[in-house]
Amino acid sequence: MTVEGTVSGLEERVAGRAWTVRLDAADRGGATVRVSCSRPACTPQVLPTAAAGRTAAVAHLATHLRAASGPRPEAYCACRAEECHTHVRDAGPRERAVPSRCGGPVVMAVINDRQGRWWRALECCARCAAAHSSAKIVATTPAAAGPVATGPHPAAAVRAGADRPAGAIGPHFSHAPSSAAPATQGVPVPQGVPAPRAPKPRRSRRYGKIAQRIVPHDLHPVALRDELIELGDLFRAYQQRPEPDLAELADLHSRKAKAFRIWAEVSGVTELVLEARRAEQAADAALLQHQQRTGQSPVGEGEVTNRLLPGLTQWEHARTVLAHVAEHTPLPGPEARLMAVMLTLRSALTGTGNLVGQDVRGLPLTDPEELIGRLVDSGWLSIPGTADDLLESRPESPTPITIPSLMPGEDGQGPFDFGRKTRPKLSGWAQRVVGDKKLRKKKTGAATRLLALALAVRTSTDGRLGADGEGIDVAALTSWCAVEPDELEALVEQLTAADWLAEAAVTDGRLTGRLAERVLQVSCPLP
């Protein structure tokens, strides 16, 4: 058949359908987007975000696909009219494309760009659809329709068969009985001529990619192949999330490690074992980050602790404040140090803050008015009125306080580097420890409250005293609490009676034990 005859046959067929849904910016510099469709009857939509626009665009295209009938066997490729690269490959820039490149049944395919800016549905042959890397086949013509894209038109194929000389029998490739052999009406079929063999159904081949590796379509067991393909899709979907979910990421890495170990066993590839180990490490790291961000850490089988201060950074800030107060307390004694801790946390960033009488009366102080006066006389604290005025102040009219040593210098830097949102969290944490209900009921003094603060920032993740549960040096604790070494055991007994400590013991100059489970939430574990 000549090219002219082929093109003539092509003109007798029906042009394939095609429509495009686009996503464009609705206004310059804004977040709103416009969803438009190439079909004239469709009205453009304006949506507030790109994510909402993509969802609406996909739903709009799906509506068209459901409403449209399936691919038509007599249709030729919709992309041919637009001279796509698949068709112009066989013709010059000014020549009409020939259909020799087309093949397979007519399909309804959807293609899109990687940036998610447009989606296009078109009616074309299977070979042209395969030429697009992003094409997804939505529907295919029934098998009974036969291969229609390879010829100009089904009717033309019938006419070509009619021109065959009488008695000419085409080749048959089956050992079926002769009665099943197709024959032209009036043409005798010789005995022993087999009927054509029915085409075997093609086995579906699933491909996928994970960790820059192609998952073989013939990988067995099939459950492993499906798991690897699904994991690859889930990892790519996770990368498109607007916000991270470290718990989900840890679960994905755990599944990947398990799947890669099985893959290594069935394939014998050593590199897959190394990839599984890296996935296990990534899972542990993601889980630890999740626990630190949410203030959760394991304390037992299936149990977690929700900490008042979540994360290593805030725990370190709490230790920094306590260490600063230990070096810069203006007066001796545990009461002055406890007062300095609370006032420092109120004015840590700028050297200024607000205080009310209840904040001071809630502390275990023998004579709060006299202590405030001494702090003012030392120059460490500055208030506009008298100590009595401060103790009488109420929340609606707090007393402003100033601690000159905490004010930023000429370079704008102060003794602490945490942010404005962290300061009230640290202050609330210290108030929670010092004002613990059971410590108040036991009427514990300032030294006991200071010891509670010291122990809260010197534990392991499961509440044992010391970074690895090895205990805390007694000399460091007595120095912080401003008491003599022989007084420490009495303070430990008070904390044990208040259900703050458990299994506590002082041996070889170290205090060992663990925090009670009820106070684990205020602990700040050591790294």
Side-chain angles (χ1 to χ4, degrees):
M1 181 181 291
T2 63
V3 173
E4 290 79 2
T6 302
V7 173
S8 175
L10 178 65
E11 293 175 347
E12 297 178 8
R13 299 178 60 188
V14 181
R17 296 164 294 178
W19 57 89
T20 305
V21 179
R22 294 189 56 85
L23 182 68
D24 302 293
D27 57 349
R28 180 174 297 179
T32 57
V33 295
R34 177 184 295 106
V35 177
S36 58
C37 181
S38 60
R39 302 188 71 166
C42 298
T43 305
Q45 306 177 54
V46 177
L47 295 116
T49 63
R54 292 188 183 94
T55 302
V58 173
H60 185 86
L61 188 66
T63 302
H64 280 315
L65 291 173
R66 286 193 297 267
S69 59
R72 299 163 296 177
E74 69 274 12
Y76 68 86
C77 297
C79 51
R80 179 183 299 281
E82 302 176 5
E83 296 186 348
C84 70
H85 68 280
T86 305
H87 291 108
V88 300
R89 194 178 300 165
D90 293 327
R94 297 185 179 276
E95 298 177 7
R96 187 151 186 174
V98 297
S100 59
R101 297 291 299 183
C102 293
V106 179
V107 299
M108 186 70 75
V110 176
I111 61 175
N112 65 285
D113 69 334
R114 293 185 178 181
Q115 290 75 26
R117 295 172 300 186
W118 55 263
W119 296 260
R120 187 162 187 247
L122 69 160
E123 203 174 19
C124 63
C125 70
R127 184 174 295 174
C128 290
H132 297 277
S133 58
S134 64
K136 302 293 183 183
I137 305 301
V138 178
T140 308
T141 51
V148 297
T150 53
H153 194 278
V158 173
R159 287 193 299 271
D163 295 335
R164 183 180 302 159
I169 303 298
H172 300 284
F173 307 97
S174 175
H175 296 288
S178 59
S179 59
T184 305
Q185 185 175 1
V187 179
V189 180
Q191 294 293 328
V193 176
R197 180 184 300 174
K200 293 183 178 180
R202 297 184 61 183
R203 300 177 62 182
S204 62
R205 295 185 174 184
R206 291 194 63 194
Y207 293 88
K209 192 174 183 179
I210 179 172
Q212 304 301 319
R213 298 177 183 273
I214 301 296
V215 180
H217 68 86
D218 57 351
L219 179 64
H220 285 83
V222 177
L224 172 62
R225 181 198 66 181
D226 294 343
E227 172 72 358
L228 290 169
I229 294 175
E230 181 181 358
L231 282 174
D233 295 338
L234 291 176
F235 271 109
R236 285 184 286 274
Y238 181 86
Q239 293 174 352
Q240 304 299 323
R241 289 176 59 96
E243 296 293 337
D245 186 342
L246 295 176
E248 178 183 348
L249 182 61
D251 179 66
L252 289 177
H253 279 298
S254 297
R255 290 175 57 184
K256 176 184 173 183
K258 182 178 179 181
F260 267 68
R261 287 194 178 278
I262 301 176
W263 193 3
E265 292 177 2
V266 300
S267 64
V269 180
T270 307
E271 294 180 358
L272 297 176
V273 178
L274 301 178
E275 189 70 33
R277 293 176 183 172
R278 287 191 289 268
E280 290 176 349
Q281 295 173 356
D284 294 340
L287 183 60
L288 179 60
Q289 291 178 7
H290 171 69
Q291 293 170 353
Q292 292 173 355
R293 289 189 178 187
T294 59
Q296 298 180 350
S297 60
V299 297
E301 187 67 26
E303 300 178 2
V304 295
T305 295
N306 294 318
R307 302 189 189 278
L308 192 61
L309 291 180
L312 294 172
T313 303
Q314 294 189 12
W315 301 342
E316 192 58 37
H317 288 325
R319 283 186 280 269
T320 301
V321 172
L322 299 185
H324 176 86
V325 173
E327 297 177 0
H328 299 85
T329 303
L331 301 174
E335 292 190 359
R337 179 159 297 181
L338 182 61
M339 186 71 171
V341 170
M342 306 311 292
L343 295 183
T344 296
L345 289 171
R346 286 300 181 97
S347 52
L349 297 180
T350 61
T352 59
N354 293 320
L355 203 66
V356 297
Q358 184 60 36
D359 296 331
V360 180
R361 291 195 185 93
L363 300 176
L365 304 176
T366 306
D367 190 348
E369 184 176 358
E370 188 267 342
L371 179 58
I372 293 174
R374 291 172 58 194
L375 291 174
V376 172
D377 294 340
S378 67
W380 186 82
L381 176 66
S382 176
I383 57 177
T386 64
D388 185 65
D389 294 336
L390 189 153
L391 294 174
E392 295 298 328
S393 60
R394 300 179 62 82
E396 57 268 17
S397 57
T399 299
I401 62 173
T402 302
I403 301 178
S405 61
L406 299 180
M407 300 183 71
E410 295 181 357
D411 58 353
Q413 299 295 323
F416 307 113
D417 59 355
F418 47 80
R420 294 182 178 274
K421 293 183 178 180
T422 301
R423 187 210 63 77
K425 293 180 181 179
L426 295 176
S427 181
W429 164 80
Q431 189 66 43
R432 181 76 170 270
V433 175
V434 173
D436 180 73
K437 185 176 181 180
K438 290 193 175 183
L439 293 180
R440 288 187 284 107
K441 283 188 174 182
K442 295 294 182 179
K443 297 182 179 180
T444 55
T448 307
R449 311 289 178 95
L450 287 172
L451 181 58
L453 280 171
L455 299 182
V457 297
R458 292 177 172 85
T459 70
S460 60
T461 55
D462 58 356
R464 293 177 298 157
L465 300 184
D468 298 317
E470 76 282 2
I472 308 173
D473 185 63
V474 170
L477 294 177
T478 54
S479 174
W480 163 252
C481 298
V483 297
E484 297 298 327
D486 56 355
E487 300 179 55
L488 185 65
E489 289 193 19
L491 302 181
V492 171
E493 291 178 359
Q494 292 180 23
L495 289 180
T496 303
D499 194 23
W500 187 278
L501 272 179
E503 305 171 5
V506 179
T507 55
D508 299 330
R510 301 188 72 80
L511 173 62
T512 58
R514 61 177 177 83
L515 295 184
E517 185 175 348
R518 74 174 187 88
V519 297
L520 280 178
Q521 58 185 344
V522 298
S523 63
C524 300
L526 291 164

